[in-house]
Amino acid sequence: MLDNVKEILISEEAIANRCRELGAQISQDYKDTVPVIIGLLKGSVPFMAELMKNITIDCEIEFMAVASYSGTESMGDVRILKDLDRSIIDHDVLIVEDIVDTGKTLEKVKELLYSKGAKTVKVVSLLDKPDRRTVEIEAEYVGFTIPNEFVVGFGLDFNQKYRNLPYVGILKEECYKGA
Ligand code: IMP
């Protein structure tokens, strides 16, 4: 598995440090409310775990699953695989995402959460790949802005593998070209 990683882009330590900063910022910004923090399965799991340790205000944790990618190319259309099983009417919602790439996933999920009656919907994403954006959407909180490379680890996968790596690494091209 490790032979397929060309380079470590973001170390475990850098992620932990950045999650402390993001947690402090989010705790400050949401101090007058109880946000519903919604992780998008499966990629957000390690990031959610690291981030929530650093959130020091009352909050509620939920998960949703949406389908967006097969291999390395966007399918364009986003399907809801696991919906919320609670009301978010009049709640401040914070979506936790692994990466904002084209932005299509977030655009659809934000739309859906507003249609369910959320008061506000913001996004915290571990990674941002702005060069690939096709829709106008930005995460309010970003861990790291990265170049246009296919990355894996710390929740991010290629065909469901590599999510367990404790860092974010660049996958060797030969691993996904032609896949
Ligand atoms: P978007 O809808 O194009 O913004 O895609 C977001 C989703 O695509 C993310 O939640 C990831 O699951 C996946 N994705 C985008 N770029 C990468 C990458 O470099 N590595 C692994 N998954 C990625």
Side-chain angles (χ1 to χ4, degrees):
M1 173 176 77
L2 300 183
D3 294 347
N4 295 337
V5 175
K6 187 164 76 179
E7 176 192 331
I8 296 180
L9 194 63
I10 307 166
S11 70
E12 197 173 351
E13 194 192 358
I15 295 171
N17 289 338
R18 187 72 185 113
C19 285
R20 270 194 285 278
E21 293 171 358
L22 288 172
Q25 184 68 57
I26 290 165
S27 303
Q28 173 63 29
D29 293 354
Y30 286 87
K31 65 181 186 316
D32 299 325
T33 184
V34 179
V36 180
I37 303 182
I38 302 179
L40 298 188
L41 294 171
K42 304 165 198 168
S44 72
V45 169
F47 179 43
M48 171 72 108
E50 193 62 37
L51 185 67
M52 63 194 261
K53 292 194 293 189
N54 295 291
I55 293 183
T56 53
I57 54 166
D58 281 343
C59 61
E60 296 168 7
I61 304 296
E62 301 290 339
F63 286 97
M64 279 179 76
V66 299
S68 56
Y69 262 56
S70 168
T72 59
E73 283 308 309
S74 174
M75 307 279 277
D77 205 24
V78 173
R79 284 182 302 132
I80 307 298
L81 302 180
K82 180 203 174 296
D83 210 340
L84 292 175
D85 42 22
R86 55 163 287 173
S87 165
I88 52 165
I89 292 174
D90 285 336
H91 282 80
D92 292 304
V93 168
L94 181 64
I95 301 171
V96 180
E97 176 63 305
D98 52 1
I99 187 167
V100 189
D101 189 31
T102 65
K104 287 177 191 160
T105 308
L106 274 181
E107 186 182 48
K108 295 277 179 211
V109 174
K110 273 185 98 163
E111 239 174 70
L112 178 84
L113 296 177
Y114 272 121
S115 77
K116 286 176 180 285
K119 186 159 76 180
T120 62
V121 182
K122 293 187 177 176
V123 178
V124 54
S125 183
L126 174 65
L127 304 176
D128 186 12
K129 229 194 258 181
D131 294 349
R132 292 254 311 163
R133 203 76 89 251
T134 59
V135 296
E136 247 181 68
I137 195 162
E138 296 302 329
E140 281 76 7
Y141 307 93
V142 170
F144 302 89
T145 300
I146 63 164
N148 186 8
E149 299 268 11
F150 194 79
V151 292
V152 292
F154 211 77
L156 290 120
D157 74 306
F158 173 64
N159 284 349
Q160 299 304 327
K161 297 201 186 77
Y162 309 102
R163 293 191 198 276
N164 52 318
L165 294 175
Y167 50 78
V168 174
I170 300 177
L171 195 61
K172 284 184 184 162
E173 270 186 29
E174 63 253 37
C175 301
Y176 59 83
K177 279 279 155 70

